[in-house]
Amino acid sequence: MQALSEKTSKPYNLNFFCHTPPAVDFAREATWREALSPYYAEFGIDPASIASGPGRQPFSAEMADLLDEFRPAVVSFHFGLPSAELLARVKACGAKVLSSATTVAEALWLEANGADAIIAQGLEAGGHRGMFLTDELSSQLGTFALLPQMVQAVRLPVIAAGGIADAAGVRAAMALGAAGVQVGTAYLCSDEASTSAIHRAALQSPAAQHTALTNLFSGRPARGIVNRLMRELGPISPHTPAFPLATAAIAPLRTQAESQGSGDFSPLWAGQNVTGCKAISAAELTRELALGFAG
Ligand SMILES: Cc1cc2nc3c(=O)[nH]c(=O)nc-3n(C[C@H](O)[C@H](O)[C@H](O)COP(=O)(O)O)c2cc1C
């Protein structure tokens, strides 16, 4: 945040996950490691050497302390909202609060619980699904089915996300009632993105035309390019440790495979529309997308 605020005086958006961290389920960990054991053997990895890491941390009081200091204009959340007490602290620092909704029911919940705007995350979107009231994947709708229904159901502004990759996509979302758009995948090959070389190559290859929702890498469904692990185990497994604990068991496989130039065990996050991925600056890409607001 220090680095960010030194580089710009313009308003910026900070994003946090706000899941409830699960307790480690040792029986489930063991079942999952058993499923991965042929891969550990292939790479000469001793499964006993892999710690059950805590994984990604949810928004916390310590993080709220930093918001007090840096006062971002916008704070967005994935997986619902933090506790009422923490949310009040975010609002007290003056930030507008956004969160992703993947169903109309989630949008209504966010409106009732203090969000200032709602991100309609369609099924096409890359990365983790923000779903938080359901884990039923069949409840998830494509952007252009979800967006108009959400716009009709809530009073808050709705931001369209999922599959938008160019100005024409922006225009189409605005025509369906969006107040703005959120684009993720198209930025993954931009100069500023920290996307790895392996991930960039996959995004720019024909393999990127086949993505799927998978829980193998983190324990929650997220959309990525289908790779060897997803093909061989099936993209969704009932045996993965709960989010975010599943990250630990895959990490050494990912490290070994990547050191050999392979993305077979990497989460190659991508949405269903990678046509906007270009090796240009994020500013240039944003200007291209913004032409869609011009009408
Ligand atoms: C690589 C990647 C990482 C993402 N990480 C986050 C995240 O940390 N928090 C979040 O709220 N959304 C995250 N998203 C989801 C985006 O905010 C957005 O919903 C999505 O990218 C829009 O669809 P698109 O990928 O088709 O553009 C991520 C998306 C991608 C592709």
Side-chain angles (χ1 to χ4, degrees):
M1 270 191 258
Q2 184 78 47
L4 196 56
S5 57
E6 275 167 13
K7 285 208 158 104
T8 184
S9 56
K10 301 235 170 89
Y12 54 83
N13 175 184
L14 296 180
N15 175 258
F16 301 93
F17 281 6
C18 52
H19 55 287
T20 305
V24 176
D25 176 336
F26 291 99
R28 202 159 153 183
E29 282 284 344
T31 307
W32 183 230
R33 285 172 196 222
E34 184 56 34
L36 297 176
S37 60
Y39 303 117
Y40 292 141
E42 182 180 325
F43 286 101
I45 296 165
D46 174 7
S49 68
I50 307 165
S52 304
R56 190 159 166 165
Q57 294 298 303
F59 187 67
S60 62
E62 292 71 34
M63 294 178 191
D65 290 343
L66 285 172
L67 299 187
D68 286 340
E69 196 179 326
F70 289 94
R71 303 194 160 265
V74 180
V75 173
S76 62
F77 293 100
H78 222 38
F79 313 136
L81 290 170
S83 68
E85 187 191 341
L86 282 178
L87 187 65
R89 289 198 52 193
V90 176
K91 295 209 153 199
C93 86
K96 293 286 182 204
V97 172
L98 315 184
S99 183
S100 306
T102 67
T103 62
V104 170
E106 287 177 349
L108 289 167
W109 187 95
L110 292 174
E111 182 167 73
N113 285 276
D116 295 304
I118 294 165
I119 301 159
Q121 193 194 33
L123 189 53
E124 299 93 326
H128 282 93
R129 303 234 26 88
M131 54 206 299
F132 60 94
L133 291 183
T134 177
D135 52 15
E136 178 53 60
L137 290 178
S138 63
S139 69
Q140 303 291 285
L141 304 180
T143 304
F144 282 7
L146 180 64
L147 174 63
Q149 295 187 63
M150 224 179 251
V151 167
Q152 205 166 35
V154 299
R155 278 166 289 112
L156 292 177
V158 178
I159 297 162
I164 300 168
D166 55 23
V170 173
R171 222 171 279 128
M174 300 304 282
L176 287 178
V181 300
Q182 184 188 66
V183 174
T185 298
Y187 284 94
L188 290 177
C189 292
S190 65
D191 302 340
E192 294 85 346
S194 59
T195 315
S196 71
I198 287 170
H199 194 171
R200 281 175 195 258
L203 286 161
Q204 286 166 323
S205 78
Q209 281 159 21
H210 188 192
T211 64
L213 293 181
T214 180
N215 65 349
L216 304 181
F217 298 103
S218 69
R220 270 198 196 240
R223 185 173 295 282
I225 298 169
V226 174
N227 61 2
R228 179 179 163 201
L229 186 73
M230 290 161 71
R231 254 191 312 272
E232 292 183 359
L233 295 188
I236 298 287
S237 167
H239 303 301
T240 59
F243 179 89
L245 299 175
T247 315
I250 299 289
L253 293 167
R254 175 184 180 174
T255 305
Q256 290 274 354
E258 287 190 357
S259 74
Q260 297 169 17
S262 158
D264 283 351
F265 296 89
S266 307
L268 302 171
W269 302 141
Q272 288 180 328
N273 186 357
V274 296
T275 57
C277 292
K278 295 181 197 166
I280 58 177
S281 73
E284 210 175 325
L285 179 57
T286 306
R287 275 192 289 271
E288 283 185 12
L289 289 163
L291 293 174
F293 293 120

